[in-house]
Amino acid sequence: MPGNARGGELLERRIPRSNESLPAVGLGTWQVFDVAGDTAGLGQARDTLRTFADGGGRVVDSSPMYGSSESVTGQLAGELGVGPRLWVATKVWTTGREAGIQQMEESMRRLRVERLDLMQVHNLVDVATHLATLRDWKAAGRVSHVGVTHYHAGAHADLERAISRNDVEFLQVNFSLAEPEAERRLLKVAADRGVAVLVNRPFAEGAMFRRVQGRPVPDWAEKAGCASWAQFFLKWILAQPAVTCVIPGTRNPRHVADNLGAAAGPLPDAALRARMTSHFRSL
Ligand SMILES: NC(=O)c1ccc[n+]([C@@H]2O[C@H](COP(=O)([O-])OP(=O)(O)OC[C@H]3O[C@@H](n4cnc5c(N)ncnc54)[C@H](OP(=O)(O)O)[C@@H]3O)[C@@H](O)[C@H]2O)c1
């Protein structure tokens, strides 16, 4: 298993507005934790969550859009007794104030939490309505942090407007060697405004592994601490200081350990990161 991380050794990043720190590698649950009723899949998800928590991972990201992922996360966290260690983020993905409230309450029941660490407006759907509700929820202590998400560069200008005009602590956005656009403006705007950043699609939904298939990680990257392609991709992301936490999706325990390994050891400096960029583009 490449570059295994063990609890206590992970790189942490501070949430600018709350002074809380988070391990810089988390776990996404889209598709991979949508396994209610699938015994084999549920077993894999349980082993993955156990490996993640044992390795010091905390941030788990879900959404009511992800089928049974919220329920599965809540169920497995309960069975494994890791719930109190996790930092749980989910989303609201509907239109209208009442529908939003109902959905967020249902998410808390499914995730088995009384307070959410982060509630995000998924893909900016009815963003003004939900942010108004979430202001009240935050004041009432039902959520600790509020954010907005999207997964596509075509929405980066809208995300920029959303974090500039509203009082949100988190931005979640796609960012990777294959989808580097957020680095043009958006990440700087987030950093300047003290908005924490969760990175989704760090492997472009797995497409980046197909691009490097059959090719070894270059020696110079291995020597710099990238024990696998996953660590090459994740360390490139984490070298951007605006990034608070990257949330790769997996239900493979070996992959989750590999991903946590990216938060251990050195990060590339600017020269090495530029070399990683040109190498990836050359493939
Ligand atoms: N609009 C939004 O808010 C939005 C949109 C997209 C995603 N997200 C969030 O971001 C998370 C991550 O994005 P994503 O799941 O779309 O894509 P991703 O993390 O870029 O890629 C996931 C794929 O990578 C594979 N993988 C993971 N770790 C690996 C490793 N170490 N080695 C080899 N393969 C590995 C997984 O397969 P295995 O299962 O085989 O490991 C899976 O097929 C989501 O799960 C979700 O929580 C949010």
Side-chain angles (χ1 to χ4, degrees), residues 30 61 66 123 149 172 200 203 205 247 249-250 255 258-259:
W30 184 46
D61 177 74
Y66 303 166
N123 291 351
T149 82
Q172 183 186 137
N200 64 38
F203 307 135
E205 211 184 317
I247 49 167
T250 185
H255 288 173
D258 183 16
N259 296 343

Side-chain angles (χ1 to χ4, degrees), residues 27-32 60-63 65-66 91 120-123 148-152 172-174 199-210 228-231 234 247-252 254-259:
L27 176 64
T29 64
W30 184 46
Q31 295 175 313
V32 286
V60 179
D61 177 74
S62 197
S63 170
M65 187 208 205
Y66 303 166
K91 312 191 185 84
Q120 307 153 103
V121 181
H122 199 150
N123 291 351
V148 290
T149 82
H150 215 288
Y151 67 99
H152 193 269
Q172 183 186 137
V173 68
N174 60 311
V199 168
N200 64 38
R201 294 177 55 84
F203 307 135
E205 211 184 317
M208 290 164 69
F209 293 109
R210 294 190 282 283
S228 63
W229 278 114
Q231 293 184 15
L234 295 174
I247 49 167
T250 185
R251 69 155 192 277
N252 180 326
R254 281 183 299 112
H255 288 173
V256 89
D258 183 16
N259 296 343

Side-chain angles (χ1 to χ4, degrees), residues 70-71 74-76 78-79 107-114:
E70 289 183 323
S71 310
Q75 177 195 328
L76 297 181
E79 286 173 15
S107 289
M108 291 172 84
R109 272 193 292 278
R110 288 179 172 169
L111 286 160
R112 305 186 191 189
V113 296
E114 281 170 14

Side-chain angles (χ1 to χ4, degrees), residues 49-107:
L49 191 63
R50 182 190 291 117
T51 306
F52 178 69
D54 286 352
R58 294 185 59 213
V59 178
V60 179
D61 177 74
S62 197
S63 170
M65 187 208 205
Y66 303 166
S68 62
S69 295
E70 289 183 323
S71 310
V72 165
T73 302
Q75 177 195 328
L76 297 181
E79 286 173 15
L80 294 167
V82 300
R85 274 192 267 161
L86 297 182
W87 193 93
V88 180
T90 194
K91 312 191 185 84
V92 53
W93 182 65
T94 187
T95 303
R97 179 181 148 80
E98 287 313 313
I101 290 171
Q102 221 175 8
Q103 192 180 64
M104 293 192 292
E105 286 176 341
E106 182 64 21
S107 289

Side-chain angles (χ1 to χ4, degrees), residues 3-282:
N4 244 340
R6 290 282 166 251
E9 301 166 5
L10 300 183
L11 168 73
E12 297 212 333
R13 290 265 163 89
R14 205 171 60 80
I15 301 169
R17 299 213 195 147
S18 72
N19 260 331
E20 196 183 335
S21 287
L22 297 174
V25 173
L27 176 64
T29 64
W30 184 46
Q31 295 175 313
V32 286
F33 271 47
D34 183 12
V35 288
D38 164 6
T39 310
L42 207 54
Q44 292 158 359
R46 184 182 293 109
D47 289 346
T48 300
L49 191 63
R50 182 190 291 117
T51 306
F52 178 69
D54 286 352
R58 294 185 59 213
V59 178
V60 179
D61 177 74
S62 197
S63 170
M65 187 208 205
Y66 303 166
S68 62
S69 295
E70 289 183 323
S71 310
V72 165
T73 302
Q75 177 195 328
L76 297 181
E79 286 173 15
L80 294 167
V82 300
R85 274 192 267 161
L86 297 182
W87 193 93
V88 180
T90 194
K91 312 191 185 84
V92 53
W93 182 65
T94 187
T95 303
R97 179 181 148 80
E98 287 313 313
I101 290 171
Q102 221 175 8
Q103 192 180 64
M104 293 192 292
E105 286 176 341
E106 182 64 21
S107 289
M108 291 172 84
R109 272 193 292 278
R110 288 179 172 169
L111 286 160
R112 305 186 191 189
V113 296
E114 281 170 14
R115 177 189 179 108
L116 275 161
D117 294 298
L118 171 62
M119 178 58 84
Q120 307 153 103
V121 181
H122 199 150
N123 291 351
L124 298 169
V125 174
D126 204 2
V127 63
T129 303
H130 301 315
L131 287 181
T133 306
L134 284 168
R135 262 194 298 278
D136 298 340
W137 274 43
K138 214 181 139 197
R142 301 181 86 179
V143 297
S144 302
H145 303 90
V146 173
V148 290
T149 82
H150 215 288
Y151 67 99
H152 193 269
H156 287 186
D158 293 333
L159 282 175
E160 182 179 331
R161 267 189 296 279
I163 65 168
S164 301
R165 292 178 186 173
N166 298 288
D167 185 20
V168 297
E169 291 96 10
F170 271 85
L171 161 72
Q172 183 186 137
V173 68
N174 60 311
F175 179 52
S176 69
L177 271 161
E179 297 173 358
E181 296 87 349
E183 208 162 42
R184 276 190 215 140
R185 269 185 69 88
L186 187 57
L187 294 182
K188 183 167 179 352
V189 174
D192 288 349
R193 296 191 63 82
V195 174
V197 176
L198 295 187
V199 168
N200 64 38
R201 294 177 55 84
F203 307 135
E205 211 184 317
M208 290 164 69
F209 293 109
R210 294 190 282 283
R211 185 148 156 188
V212 299
Q213 203 166 17
R215 297 170 192 271
V217 174
D219 287 355
W220 47 266
E222 223 179 301
K223 283 194 192 102
C226 302
S228 63
W229 278 114
Q231 293 184 15
F232 184 105
F233 301 149
L234 295 174
K235 280 179 181 276
W236 183 91
I237 291 168
L238 291 172
Q240 159 59 254
V243 171
T244 310
C245 177
V246 55
I247 49 167
T250 185
R251 69 155 192 277
N252 180 326
R254 281 183 299 112
H255 288 173
V256 89
D258 183 16
N259 296 343
L260 285 175
L267 290 176
D269 62 15
L272 182 60
R273 193 163 182 267
R275 189 171 183 189
M276 293 164 91
T277 306
S278 41
H279 184 73
F280 184 74
R281 283 187 186 153
S282 75

